[in-house]
Amino acid sequence: MPAKELSTAVIPVSVIISARNEAENLQKFLPAILQQEYPEFEVVVVDDCSVDESHHILLEFSKNHPHLKIVSVTEHRRFKTGKKFALTMGIKAAKYEHLLFTDADCQPASAHWVARMAGNFSGNTEIVLGYSPYIKERGFINAFVRFETLRTAINYFSAALARNAYMGIGRNLAYTKSLFFKNKGFASHLHVMAGDDDLFVNQNATPVNTVIEVHPDAFTFSESKRTFRSFFRQKKRHMGVGGLYKNKHRRLLSAEALSGFLFYVTLGILLYFNTQLLVLAGAYLVRLITQLVIYQKSAGKLSGSKLLWFLPFFDLIYYVYLNVFGLVGTFIKTTQWK
């Protein structure tokens, strides 16, 4: 979509990034954020206890970009800070009411990312949910991560459109400073390391204050984990906050995860006993075709239509993953965010 179709309403925006030991990523991705085509915005980078060259790199960027603001957080030997503390410091330092969040390892899809996201703030809107897919690379983990990201996005965008928003992704999320302080920021879930994005949205979204932005220009891309170990640690941290969602959302998500898992368990048991193979094949195909019909339009809007080719294989893995990580997140707590 050409730039002339962007919203003509311009509001000042503070882009906030929390970075801990992200020297390489800041060097690689920060320029695309600093060079956004938007008349009035600042970029607030919180150097969160970094021990690498992050601070030096930020100082170098600030020489040519006066709209870059650096906030430094130092580790106290008795008080271990996390991402929520760093983001809170960034929000307090931000001079504008409208806040746009991403991560140090993310790159906007275009120079109009800020404009696309900020253009949604009108009327009662206080939260804007964006999309953050992963860059396509070779390998099983990358393919599954991209598939899982698409499925998750379809779910939470659909919920938001139905006025029942339950989560957002911090790699591409916007909300107002007033909303943050009115509801005491992250105070209710500071005891868990994750949740600066999905828990905040879950607790503060209403039927009228949340919108979505799915224009390809508004995407932010990042690189997926490349090993099972790093992927496991990331998802363990993310899934551990599900128990703090509102009851109606916990029930909805649990029912969806369990029903899909039980479908494949039942299918496997019946196949083992050679029970009505044609009937089982028919039931599987009906379910698969129904999914493809439902997901096709949404996947197209999220530039993920090709990922639907993975559906027959990854659908089973997806439901096993949801249930396994749901249990892991419930019983194993994560004590660090990086």
Side-chain angles (χ1 to χ4, degrees):
M1 189 175 292
K4 67 180 181 181
E5 297 184 27
L6 292 169
S7 172
T8 56
V10 175
I11 56 173
V13 173
S14 294
V15 178
I16 300 179
I17 302 169
S18 175
R20 176 174 290 190
N21 297 324
E22 296 280 9
E24 182 178 348
N25 285 327
L26 288 170
Q27 191 80 48
K28 185 177 181 180
F29 299 117
L30 188 56
I33 296 174
L34 292 169
Q35 296 165 13
Q36 286 288 295
E37 296 181 11
Y38 197 71
E40 190 171 0
F41 76 105
E42 65 172 352
V43 179
V44 181
V45 179
V46 184
D47 180 11
D48 184 20
C49 311
S50 297
V51 295
D52 61 1
E53 293 297 311
S54 293
H55 189 70
H56 173 73
I57 289 171
L58 290 171
L59 288 176
E60 287 297 311
F61 275 124
S62 67
K63 293 177 181 178
N64 298 315
H65 300 281
H67 59 303
L68 171 62
K69 180 182 293 184
I70 305 169
V71 178
S72 296
V73 175
T74 56
E75 193 83 85
H76 192 284
R77 61 192 183 94
R78 292 185 178 180
F79 177 64
K80 297 299 182 181
T81 62
K83 187 177 182 181
K84 292 175 185 175
F85 180 82
L87 288 176
T88 301
M89 294 299 99
I91 292 170
K92 288 182 176 181
K95 64 179 179 179
Y96 298 131
E97 163 70 3
H98 296 87
L99 313 174
L100 177 55
F101 298 85
T102 190
D103 288 342
D105 61 350
C106 292
Q107 180 168 5
S110 76
H112 304 301
W113 167 60
V114 172
R116 290 287 177 191
M117 293 294 288
N120 289 280
F121 282 113
S122 62
N124 296 320
T125 301
E126 295 177 292
I127 300 174
V128 182
L129 308 179
Y131 182 48
S132 186
Y134 287 95
I135 298 169
K136 182 179 179 180
E137 298 175 357
R138 292 182 178 180
F140 170 84
I141 294 178
N142 177 264
F144 178 72
V145 167
R146 290 187 296 114
F147 175 85
E148 184 265 340
T149 300
L150 176 67
R151 284 285 294 267
T152 302
I154 290 174
N155 288 344
Y156 71 77
F157 282 146
S158 299
L161 289 174
R163 299 194 170 192
N164 190 27
Y166 66 87
M167 68 167 285
I169 298 296
R171 301 191 303 275
N172 198 359
L173 174 66
Y175 52 79
T176 64
K177 184 186 286 191
S178 296
L179 179 69
F180 181 82
F181 287 113
K182 179 177 65 177
N183 295 287
K184 300 181 180 179
F186 307 125
S188 64
H189 47 87
L190 272 176
H191 60 288
V192 293
M193 295 305 296
D196 56 276
D197 46 10
D198 57 343
L199 277 181
F200 181 84
V201 172
N202 190 265
Q203 295 181 355
N204 294 285
T206 71
V208 297
N209 78 343
T210 304
V211 301
I212 68 172
E213 174 54 70
V214 295
H215 193 284
D217 282 354
F219 294 176
T220 59
F221 287 88
S222 58
E223 298 173 345
S224 68
K225 302 299 182 183
R226 292 183 171 86
T227 65
F228 280 103
R229 183 176 181 180
S230 59
F231 174 70
F232 178 83
R233 193 170 79 171
Q234 180 190 52
K235 291 304 176 181
K236 181 182 68 173
R237 183 175 69 248
H238 291 168
M239 299 292 279
V241 303
L244 298 177
Y245 280 16
K246 293 177 182 176
N247 289 334
K248 64 177 181 178
H249 296 136
R250 288 209 312 270
R251 290 193 295 267
L252 179 67
L253 294 171
S254 296
E256 198 271 337
L258 190 59
S259 64
F261 180 70
L262 290 178
F263 171 82
Y264 284 107
V265 170
T266 303
L267 187 69
I269 292 173
L270 294 177
L271 282 172
Y272 179 80
F273 289 105
N274 293 318
T275 304
Q276 299 290 332
L277 296 183
L278 288 178
V279 174
L280 295 180
Y284 174 78
L285 287 175
V286 167
R287 184 177 185 275
L288 178 62
I289 292 171
T290 301
Q291 287 179 303
L292 289 172
V293 170
I294 292 173
Y295 291 142
Q296 184 177 23
K297 185 176 181 179
S298 298
K301 287 184 177 295
L302 298 176
S303 303
S305 296
K306 292 182 179 180
L307 286 170
L308 294 182
W309 288 103
F310 294 105
L311 185 63
F313 175 59
F314 279 152
D315 192 57
L316 167 61
I317 299 175
Y318 175 76
Y319 284 109
V320 172
Y321 147 83
L322 284 181
N323 286 273
V324 169
F325 278 101
L327 291 173
V328 169
T330 299
F331 296 107
I332 303 178
K333 303 303 180 185
T334 301
T335 57
Q336 61 182 44
W337 77 271
K338 282 198 61 101

